[in-house]
């Protein structure tokens, strides 16, 4: 099934470390707030370090699962404890550990009630998120997928603002609704695999085994794809299932929004890449136009609604709808460029939007308002803040030289290869994205400092600079030198594209070799463009 | 020819005999125990239940049919016997303090619980309509008294009368259905009925259909399925909380255990179109139960509607009429018993002299005053919704498994839509526990027995969720008798 170079259950250690930390915190006295925060931060940093240990042992030349662990769990059902990662998971796992650590640090002053429960929730959430990205067994996957909803529900419901209870239960209900349909889909594959006509005749939930299944498009792939689609599309969220997102984002505490945008939304897109494409290649091709159009509607609609927002956080939330439309468009371009770009954009969105939410959180902590109209001319009082804000904004807009550009570029290339109209419409989204971001920045940062409350506003403190810096480093790193990131996911993407091809699904599209060649070329151009831009910037 | 006495193997009902002797002994000891020391009788009955459970452990692997084919002891019966005994232990544990608070600390209370348990334990063993009816009545009679046990509480009396009237009515209907069945086949023995139907290749026979419909109606009352559910909310609300718990968990499980015997053994549900009527009942039951639970403000009423909905889910297993379906019913019932009892344990915890503790708003802020209780209640809520890693999830997984395998796709879809709806009302309680500030008159009073009860139910709910293998294996082994 795969290899484990360390011969040590590193992934399990990684996944359960935050859980152990959370249980440990349960035994600390409620009043000992400093110790709770330090423990939570310590645990998240150790988890981060453990996740970094994966990188030296990772072999980026193979698409096979690595660091695998496998043990029998519920033999009567064919359930195994199976974990393992490929490049896609590796990228998302490291992103998760980084974002969680940052979320914890950013909560030090923002959260001042029921501290213990808060940090227990965050660490518990981290275990769930890491588990989702490494599970190789559907039963295990489903447990992690569902269990994570509970701490997130509490984060919004207890520490949120506004209509927090409404938003929390809405988030929970929407996601549960989708995942239950996914569960039916999982059970359907489970039985089809056990049917010798279609599968191996064995009862198993093993994802790698089930990916080998070749089902006919009608009725099986068609319906099971739809069941999975509901589960993942709500999580992403794709238009028209996105309505929970602005509410949840707006009412969640800063760290909640950061984790929600940074990691939770990626689970939906991850699900499409990991399950839908390889398991239902024909259905993916069949539904490709529908998916692409939904993604395009999401891109343009999200951007237009973002333009009209008065609340900064809501604006960022709608920008997420737009950005995730890009990710979905890339994935459902069903070619190497699109999927690579989609996955890279998942990471980019996590970094940029996470950073944006942190920036909104900082200003909210100072002024306790998030209305754009309450600000103006802040750049004179908060120079460091406005610098960080500017970089993050450019990264989110997709300015060359920063991470957002690389992802969007690859997605647009992929979309162009698939259908020129898709790329044409998506470009409108890019322009609108620049519009709402720049306009937001202009209204908040420039102009006269005419609000008396803003006169005494303080700039970012050292802690805030410290947790923003790694994100900005990643923005430049992915923007200027994306090669290591693309290299890591390349084999896994190739495997998916091959699977799409070998299923005869993409007969009309060019062969894999040709696509690989194009990719090399574009990568070169990309790097050239980046270098040029950075040169210009430095000049 | 001289009539020969049928061979009787008493060992087949050894656990019940032990329990019956102990229950009678309890009634004898009762007058000699001082009023303030009646809790000792609670411990005495726990001892009886444990003893009975141990004796049933020795019967593992036995397969005995005795009393002229009226009673069968097999793995299936033992599975349920042990489940009922554990449930009874939890019920007694949560009663010990409750009866003191409600001033109904009488010996009969425990004795009747034991008798109800005997009735339940006999039910899955019955392979004859007569023995089934006797054990059903033994259980029901005990419940008639137990439900109305708080003589001075008008709501409790109302509950008692409602349960009595509907219960007697349901028993009458079951009896009527049995008469039709006997009339059509000439026997009361379940396997002989099955043989008769098979040999004569009866596919549609008016009196057989009549029997089926009447039995479904009677059982519909017992498991509180729509449209025979009206009594449940009032009875659940009025009855003493531990008895509500036992009624909801134990008597429902017992009714299902015998439904499997009758409808699969005798009617061989897998053939014919019997399932259509059950399909409609299941869908209506789960939907109506969940929708009505949404608007309740009394938690016992809410759990009553939720328990109606759960009957609907469990019927999925009966409809799919397959090995997985039957096993699913058993697995689900195990989880259901523990999570329901657990939820009621928390309600009992809330009950004190000046607070009834059965309003959802009474749960305010428990998370801050008693985090462990809140956490455990959340576990039960997750399990009742069917979110992993809990026993309820494993049960639902099996039920939906059965539905998908039997190609009842719509049933599965309606089932999951209902599960999603149920999230709303279960989490309303969780939300009140976690997000509201605690009120002053909510004081949870712990006693060692209730801690043990909470521990057993919480542990079982989580353990079965994480490692269901033993339960699944036992269930799959037990249902072999139906194949």
């Amino acid at each position: 099934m795969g290899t484990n170079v360390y011969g040590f259950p590193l992934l399990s250690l990684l996944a359960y470390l935050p859980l152990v930390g959370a249980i440990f915190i349960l035994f600390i006295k409620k009043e000992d707030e400093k110790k709770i925060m330090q423990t939570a931060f310590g645990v998240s940093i150790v988890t981060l370090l453990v996740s970094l240990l994966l990188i030296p042992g990772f072999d980026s030349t193979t698409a096979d699962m690595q660091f695998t662990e496998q043990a029998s769990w519920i033999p009567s059902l064919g359930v195994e404890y199976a974990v393992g990662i490929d490049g896609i998971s590796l990228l998302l796992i490291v992103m998760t550990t980084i974002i969680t650590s940052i979320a914890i640090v950013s909560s030090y002053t923002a959260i001042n009630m029921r501290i213990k429960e808060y940090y227990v929730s965050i660490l518990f959430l981290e275990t769930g998120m890491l588990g989702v990205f490494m599970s190789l067994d559907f039963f295990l996957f489903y447990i992690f997928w569902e269990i994570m909803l509970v701490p997130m529900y509490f984060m919004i419901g207890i520490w949120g603002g506004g209509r927090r209870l409404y938003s929390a239960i809405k988030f929970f209900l929407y996601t549960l609704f989708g995942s239950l349909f996914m569960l039916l889909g999982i059970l359907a594959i489970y039985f089809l695999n056990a049917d010798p006509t279609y599968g191996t005749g064995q009862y198993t939930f093993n994802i790698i085994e089930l990916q080998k299944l070749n089902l006919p498009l009608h009725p099986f792939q068609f319906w099971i794809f739809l069941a999975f689609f509901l589960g993942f599309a709500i999580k992403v969220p794709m238009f028209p299932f996105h309505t929970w997102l602005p509410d949840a984002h707006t009412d969640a505490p800063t760290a909640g929004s950061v984790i929600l945008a940074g990691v939770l939304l990626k689970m939906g897109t991850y699900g499409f890449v990991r399950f839908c494409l390889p398991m239902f290649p024909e259905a993916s091709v069949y539904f490709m136009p529908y998916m692409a159009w939904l993604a395009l509607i999401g891109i343009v609609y999200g951007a237009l609604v973002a333009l009209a927002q008065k609340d900064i956080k809501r604006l960022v939330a709608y920008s997420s709808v737009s950005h995730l439309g890009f990710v979905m468009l890339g994935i459902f371009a069903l070619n190497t460029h699109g999927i690579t770009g989609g996955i890279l954009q998942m990471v980019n969105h996590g970094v940029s939007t996470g950073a944006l939410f942190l920036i909104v959180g900082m200003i909210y902590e100072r002024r306790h308002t998030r209305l754009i109209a309450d600000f103006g001319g802040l750049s004179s009082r908060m120079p460091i803040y406005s610098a960080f804000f500017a970089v993050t904004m450019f990264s989110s807009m997709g300015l060359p030289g920063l991470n957002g550009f690389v992802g969007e570029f690859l997605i647009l290339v992929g979309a162009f290869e698939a259908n020129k109209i898709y790329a044409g419409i998506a470009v409108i989204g890019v322009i609108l994205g620049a519009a709402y971001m720049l306009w937001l920045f202009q209204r908040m940062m420039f102009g006269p400092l005419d609000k008396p409350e803003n006169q005494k506003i303080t700039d970012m403190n050292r802690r805030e600079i410290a947790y923003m810096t790694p994100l900005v480093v990643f923005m430049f790193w992915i923007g200027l030198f994306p090669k290591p990131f693309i290299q890591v996911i390349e084999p896994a993407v190739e495997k998916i594209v091959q699977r799409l091809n070998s299923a005869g699904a993409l007969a009309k599209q060019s062969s894999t070799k040709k696509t690989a060649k194009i990719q090399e070329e574009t990568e070169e151009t990309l790097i050239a463009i980046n270098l040029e831009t950075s040169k210009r910037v430095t000049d | 020819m001289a009539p020969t006495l049928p061979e009787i193997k008493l060992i087949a009902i050894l656990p019940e005999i032990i329990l019956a002797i102990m229950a009678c002994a309890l009634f004898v000891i009762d007058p000699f125990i001082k009023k303030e020391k009646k809790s000792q009788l609670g411990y005495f009955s726990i001892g009886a239940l444990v003893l009975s459970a141990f004796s049933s452990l020795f019967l593992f692997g036995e397969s005995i049919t005795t009393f002229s084919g009226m009673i069968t002891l097999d793995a299936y019966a033992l599975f349920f016997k042990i489940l009922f005994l554990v449930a009874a232990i939890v019920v007694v544990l949560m009663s010990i303090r409750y009866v003191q608070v409600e001033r109904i600390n009488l010996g009969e209370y425990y004795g009747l619980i034991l008798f109800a348990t005997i009735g339940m334990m006999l039910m899955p063993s019955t392979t004859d309509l007569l023995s089934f009816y006797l054990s059903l009545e033994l259980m029901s009679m005990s419940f008639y008294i137990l439900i109305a046990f708080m003589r001075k509480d008008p709501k409790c009396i109302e509950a008692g009368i409602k349960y009595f009237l509907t219960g007697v009515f349901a028993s009458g209907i079951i009896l009527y259905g049995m008469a039709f069945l006997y009339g059509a086949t000439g026997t009361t023995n379940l396997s002989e009925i099955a043989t008769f139907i098979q040999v004569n290749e009866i596919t549609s026979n008016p009196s057989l259909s009549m029997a089926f419909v009447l039995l479904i109606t009677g059982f519909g009352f017992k498991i509180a399925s729509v449209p025979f559910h009206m009594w449940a909310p009032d009875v659940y609300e009025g009855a003493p909380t531990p008895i509500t718990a036992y009624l909801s968990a134990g008597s429902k499980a017992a009714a299902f255990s015998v439904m499997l015997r009758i409808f699969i053994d005798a009617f061989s549900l897998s053939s014919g179109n019997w399932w259509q009527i059950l399909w409609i009942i299941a869908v209506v039951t789960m939907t109506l139960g969940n929708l009505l639970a949404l608007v309740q403000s009394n938690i016992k009423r809410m759990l009553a509607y939720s328990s109606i909905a759960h009957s609907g889910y469990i019927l999925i297993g009966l409809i799919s009429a397959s090995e997985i379906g039957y096993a699913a019913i058993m697995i689900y019932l195990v989880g259901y018993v523990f999570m329901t009892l657990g939820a009621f344990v928390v309600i009992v915890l809330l009950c004190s002299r000046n607070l009834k503790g059965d309003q959802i708003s009474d749960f305010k802020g428990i998370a801050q005053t008693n985090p462990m209780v809140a956490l455990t209640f959340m576990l039960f809520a997750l399990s009742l919704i069917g979110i992993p890693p809990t026993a309820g999830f494993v049960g639902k997984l099996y039920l939906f498994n059965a539905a998908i395998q039997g190609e009842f796709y719509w049933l599965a879809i309606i089932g999951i839509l209902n599960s999603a709806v149920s999230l709303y009302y279960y989490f309303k309680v969780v939300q009140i526990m976690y997000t509201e500030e605690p009120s002053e008159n909510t004081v949870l009073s712990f006693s060692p027995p209730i801690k043990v009860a909470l521990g057993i139910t919480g542990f079982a709910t989580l353990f079965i969720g994480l490692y269901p293998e033993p339960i699944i294996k036992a269930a799959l082994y037990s249902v072999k008798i139906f194949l």
Side-chain angles (χ1 to χ4, degrees):
Chain A
M1 192 175 99
T3 49
N4 189 346
V5 281
Y6 291 154
F8 172 79
L10 190 65
L11 285 179
S12 292
L13 175 75
L14 176 64
Y16 301 117
L17 207 63
L19 183 67
V20 173
I23 294 170
F24 184 75
I25 290 180
L26 280 179
F27 291 102
I28 303 178
K29 263 198 202 139
K30 200 156 58 177
E31 292 73 28
D32 210 346
E33 292 175 353
K34 201 156 183 198
K35 199 172 164 197
I36 293 174
M37 291 185 203
Q38 282 164 349
T39 316
F41 179 63
V43 170
S44 71
I45 287 294
V46 174
T47 315
L48 169 60
L49 293 177
V50 172
S51 75
L52 293 180
L53 275 183
L54 293 171
I55 296 170
F58 188 82
D59 176 7
S60 60
T61 55
T62 167
D64 286 341
M65 289 296 164
Q66 302 179 35
F67 302 102
T68 48
E69 296 161 34
Q70 203 170 6
S72 172
W73 183 7
I74 314 173
S76 316
L77 265 172
V79 173
E80 284 167 348
Y81 178 84
V83 292
I85 55 168
D86 62 1
I88 305 172
S89 320
L90 177 70
L91 217 53
L92 292 168
I93 283 176
V94 176
M95 184 184 79
T96 306
T97 53
I98 293 175
I99 287 186
T100 313
S101 306
I102 292 176
I104 287 176
V105 188
S106 77
S107 315
Y108 276 7
T109 48
I111 302 296
N112 42 31
M113 58 176 257
R114 301 170 73 176
I115 308 238
K116 184 166 148 180
E117 285 152 296
Y118 180 81
Y119 291 102
V120 168
S121 297
I122 277 203
L123 289 175
F124 196 72
L125 188 61
E126 189 177 14
T127 288
M129 299 187 295
L130 291 171
V132 163
F133 291 134
M134 62 174 75
S135 299
L136 290 183
D137 184 281
F138 263 128
F139 191 88
L140 186 67
F141 170 80
Y142 192 77
I143 290 184
F144 284 127
W145 177 272
E146 291 272 87
I147 203 63
M148 184 182 80
L149 300 176
V150 180
M152 198 65 220
Y153 167 84
F154 284 132
M155 283 186 75
I156 303 173
I158 299 179
W159 297 278
R163 291 198 297 167
R164 58 196 159 92
L165 297 178
Y166 167 81
S167 301
I169 197 75
K170 190 172 178 183
F171 157 78
F172 204 156
L173 270 175
Y174 263 66
T175 330
L176 184 72
F177 177 84
S179 35
L180 282 167
F181 272 98
M182 181 180 76
L183 180 65
L184 286 192
I186 293 174
L187 292 179
I189 313 179
Y190 172 71
F191 280 113
L192 287 168
N193 187 55
D195 186 343
T197 333
Y198 305 108
T200 57
Q202 270 177 340
Y203 285 104
T204 176
F205 279 105
N206 190 302
I207 288 167
I208 304 298
E209 288 295 312
L210 293 174
Q211 277 181 347
K212 292 175 189 154
L213 206 55
N214 279 314
L215 295 171
L217 176 57
H218 287 288
F220 300 123
Q221 281 203 20
F222 183 88
W223 289 107
I224 303 175
F225 180 93
L226 280 182
F228 274 79
F229 166 77
L230 264 182
F232 298 138
I234 291 176
K235 196 93 179 178
V236 171
M238 280 181 91
F239 180 87
F241 304 108
H242 66 281
T243 59
W244 65 268
L245 180 83
D247 288 325
H249 265 325
T250 314
D251 294 335
T254 301
S257 300
V258 171
I259 291 179
L260 198 58
V263 187
L264 254 64
L265 304 188
K266 306 302 151 2
M267 291 181 177
T269 45
Y270 173 80
F272 277 113
V273 177
R274 170 74 72 234
F275 306 117
C276 283
L277 299 193
M279 282 185 189
F280 323 113
E282 277 103 347
S284 299
V285 174
Y286 177 88
F287 282 109
M288 171 191 170
Y290 303 98
M291 300 295 291
W293 279 107
L294 281 182
L296 288 171
I297 295 173
I299 293 174
V300 177
Y301 171 83
L304 284 174
V305 180
L307 264 176
Q309 294 306 315
K310 296 189 177 80
D311 182 317
I312 315 168
K313 221 171 172 187
R314 248 188 140 71
L315 186 147
V316 180
Y318 275 106
S319 84
S320 275
V321 175
S322 180
H323 285 294
L324 283 153
F326 271 104
V327 177
M328 288 310 296
L329 181 66
I331 292 172
F332 274 88
L334 301 183
N335 49 39
T336 317
H337 286 141
I339 298 174
T340 312
I343 295 164
L344 199 62
Q345 190 66 357
M346 278 153 76
V347 178
N348 291 339
H349 177 261
V351 173
S352 317
T353 310
L356 272 177
F357 276 119
L358 288 169
I359 280 175
V360 178
M362 286 173 211
I363 201 88
Y364 180 74
E365 233 179 283
R366 286 169 173 70
R367 286 279 285 102
H368 293 284
T369 171
R370 285 190 309 252
L371 289 179
I372 302 170
D374 285 342
F375 301 104
L378 292 183
S379 60
S380 60
R381 284 277 175 281
M382 312 172 76
I384 308 177
Y385 179 79
S386 57
F388 273 102
F389 195 171
V391 174
T392 312
M393 171 189 72
F394 287 134
S395 140
S396 175
M397 273 163 42
L399 193 80
L402 289 165
N403 60 346
F405 174 72
V406 186
E408 276 180 9
F409 183 80
L410 281 170
I411 289 171
L412 287 175
V413 173
F416 192 81
E417 281 167 22
N419 188 335
K420 294 185 180 64
I421 300 170
Y422 297 162
I425 296 175
V427 167
I428 301 175
V430 181
I431 298 166
L432 287 173
Y436 62 74
M437 272 299 162
L438 286 171
W439 194 32
L440 169 76
F441 191 75
Q442 186 197 341
R443 281 182 289 173
M444 283 181 67
M445 294 317 203
F446 299 142
L449 188 68
D450 48 4
K451 306 280 182 310
E453 300 92 335
N454 294 339
Q455 293 289 349
K456 282 185 194 157
I457 207 158
T458 51
D459 207 348
M460 280 165 75
N461 59 31
R462 264 181 290 173
R463 182 177 55 91
E464 287 164 341
I465 296 174
Y467 67 66
M468 284 299 292
T469 309
L471 292 175
V472 172
V473 168
F474 271 102
M475 287 174 203
F476 280 105
W477 186 4
I478 303 177
L480 295 171
F481 191 53
K483 202 160 176 147
F485 298 90
I486 293 177
Q487 245 171 9
V488 163
I489 50 180
E490 206 171 4
V493 173
E494 280 306 325
K495 195 179 160 193
I496 293 169
V497 175
Q498 261 170 27
R499 169 86 173 144
L500 287 164
N501 283 334
S502 68
L506 288 181
K508 56 182 176 171
Q509 294 216 2
S510 51
S511 71
T512 342
K513 269 187 191 167
K514 201 176 160 196
T515 346
K517 202 181 160 198
I518 295 175
Q519 197 211 345
E520 257 169 47
E521 283 166 16
T522 15
E523 247 169 52
E524 276 161 26
T525 3
L526 201 68
I527 292 163
I529 293 172
N530 277 337
L531 285 177
E532 211 174 303
T533 354
S534 49
K535 237 186 238 166
R536 252 185 242 159
V537 172
T538 44
D539 289 347
Chain B
M1 200 173 89
T4 48
L5 279 172
E7 195 193 356
I8 289 174
K9 290 179 191 146
L10 282 178
I11 190 134
I13 51 165
L14 180 68
E16 287 89 342
I17 292 176
I18 292 176
L19 210 53
I21 293 173
M22 299 288 270
C24 293
L26 190 144
F27 278 107
V28 175
I29 307 169
D30 180 31
F32 300 104
I33 296 212
K34 277 191 200 136
K35 204 156 189 276
E36 54 274 16
K37 286 190 176 168
K38 294 282 186 201
S39 325
Q40 289 175 351
L41 290 172
Y43 295 111
F44 179 83
S45 38
I46 289 174
L49 291 163
V50 171
L51 201 64
S52 174
F54 265 113
S55 70
S56 41
L57 288 181
F58 286 109
L59 295 173
F60 257 121
E62 300 272 358
S63 182
I64 312 165
T65 302
T66 180
F67 294 105
S68 320
M70 286 214 176
I71 295 283
T72 299
L73 179 91
D74 48 20
Y76 175 77
L78 264 180
F79 183 96
F80 277 106
K81 277 180 215 263
I82 292 171
L83 180 64
F84 298 144
L85 283 166
V86 176
I89 291 173
V90 174
V91 169
V92 173
L93 282 172
M94 70 166 122
S95 297
I96 287 174
R97 204 189 68 85
Y98 183 85
V99 290
Q100 287 167 353
V101 173
E102 294 289 343
R103 295 167 213 263
I104 46 168
N105 201 0
L106 304 169
E108 292 92 329
Y109 179 88
Y110 300 110
L112 286 167
I113 288 184
L114 293 188
F115 275 117
T117 313
I118 299 169
M120 285 180 200
M121 286 165 71
L122 282 171
M123 278 163 81
S125 275
T126 53
T127 39
D128 191 285
L129 293 175
L130 289 177
S131 53
F132 152 61
Y133 189 73
L134 283 176
S135 41
L136 175 74
E137 283 307 281
L138 178 56
M139 179 187 85
S140 303
M141 293 291 174
S142 314
F143 270 120
Y144 295 148
I145 311 171
L146 281 170
I147 286 172
F149 214 80
M150 298 189 287
R151 283 175 299 155
K152 285 166 190 156
D153 182 352
K155 267 200 170 166
C156 190
I157 301 291
E158 183 197 331
I161 291 176
K162 270 199 179 141
Y163 187 67
F164 177 68
L165 286 178
T166 49
V168 170
F169 189 59
S171 298
I173 290 178
I174 288 179
L175 210 51
Y176 198 30
M178 280 160 52
F180 272 102
L181 198 53
Y182 179 68
T185 59
T187 172
T188 55
N189 188 292
L190 295 183
S191 51
E192 282 171 27
I193 293 174
T195 328
F196 184 88
I197 293 176
Q198 261 173 6
V199 169
N200 296 307
E201 289 173 3
I202 300 173
T203 44
S204 66
N205 172 306
S207 52
L208 213 54
S209 305
M210 200 64 194
F212 181 80
V213 171
L214 287 170
L215 282 173
I216 282 290
T217 310
F219 277 111
F221 274 109
K222 296 288 174 197
I223 61 168
S225 64
V226 178
F228 317 112
H229 67 286
M230 310 291 191
W231 59 273
D234 292 337
V235 171
Y236 277 39
E237 189 191 351
T241 309
I243 301 304
T244 309
Y246 204 29
L247 189 68
S248 163
S251 101
K252 182 168 289 186
F256 268 108
S257 74
V258 79
M259 270 174 98
L260 278 179
R261 287 254 194 220
I262 290 185
F263 290 114
I264 295 158
D265 260 6
F267 279 95
S268 49
L269 200 68
S270 38
S271 56
N273 289 328
W274 302 120
W275 63 268
Q276 286 169 343
I277 193 167
L278 287 172
W279 193 97
I280 296 169
I281 293 180
V283 166
V284 178
T285 303
M286 55 180 135
T287 312
L288 204 70
N290 276 320
L291 290 182
L292 289 174
L294 287 175
V295 292
Q296 302 303 321
S297 60
N298 180 301
I299 190 149
K300 280 162 89 177
R301 283 186 89 84
M302 188 196 94
L303 285 173
Y305 283 110
S306 108
S307 123
I308 292 170
H310 282 282
S311 292
Y313 300 135
I314 300 172
L315 281 174
I316 294 178
L318 201 58
I319 294 163
S320 60
S322 59
E323 185 185 1
I324 291 191
Y326 307 146
I329 295 182
M330 300 178 72
I331 296 162
Y332 197 87
L333 281 174
V334 174
Y336 173 77
V337 163
F338 285 116
M339 63 204 184
T340 312
L341 287 178
F344 280 107
V345 170
V346 178
I347 301 175
V348 170
L349 263 176
L350 275 173
C351 170
S352 62
R353 284 261 151 81
N354 45 15
L355 185 77
K356 203 125 198 292
D358 61 355
Q359 295 299 316
I360 292 179
S361 54
D362 292 338
F363 279 73
K364 256 193 229 163
I366 294 181
Q368 293 185 51
T369 52
N370 296 78
M372 276 317 282
V373 175
L375 202 66
T376 324
F377 186 87
M378 187 174 75
L379 185 73
F380 298 135
L382 289 175
S383 183
L384 286 162
I385 302 165
I387 290 177
T390 56
F393 168 69
V394 176
K396 266 203 183 132
L397 181 79
Y398 249 91
L399 283 176
F400 293 143
N401 245 343
I404 298 261
Q405 197 203 28
E407 299 183 352
F408 293 99
Y409 297 119
W410 279 109
L411 200 58
I413 289 175
I414 296 168
I416 59 165
L417 288 179
N418 269 296
S419 303
V421 169
S422 72
L423 165 77
Y424 188 82
Y425 61 85
Y426 290 123
F427 256 65
K428 198 162 72 182
V429 186
V430 174
Q431 178 239 307
I432 282 178
M433 290 194 310
Y434 275 92
T435 62
E436 306 230 333
E437 288 303 308
S439 76
E440 277 168 19
N441 53 350
T442 312
V443 182
L444 270 63
S445 36
F446 288 97
S447 60
I450 206 157
K451 273 188 192 162
V452 175
L454 196 63
I456 293 176
T457 48
F459 175 78
T461 307
L462 190 62
F463 181 78
I464 298 172
L466 286 172
Y467 190 62
E469 178 70 12
I471 302 285
I472 295 176
K473 258 202 171 141
L476 284 173
Y477 178 76
S478 307
V479 295
K480 288 213 163 66
I481 55 159
F482 294 125
L483 305 173

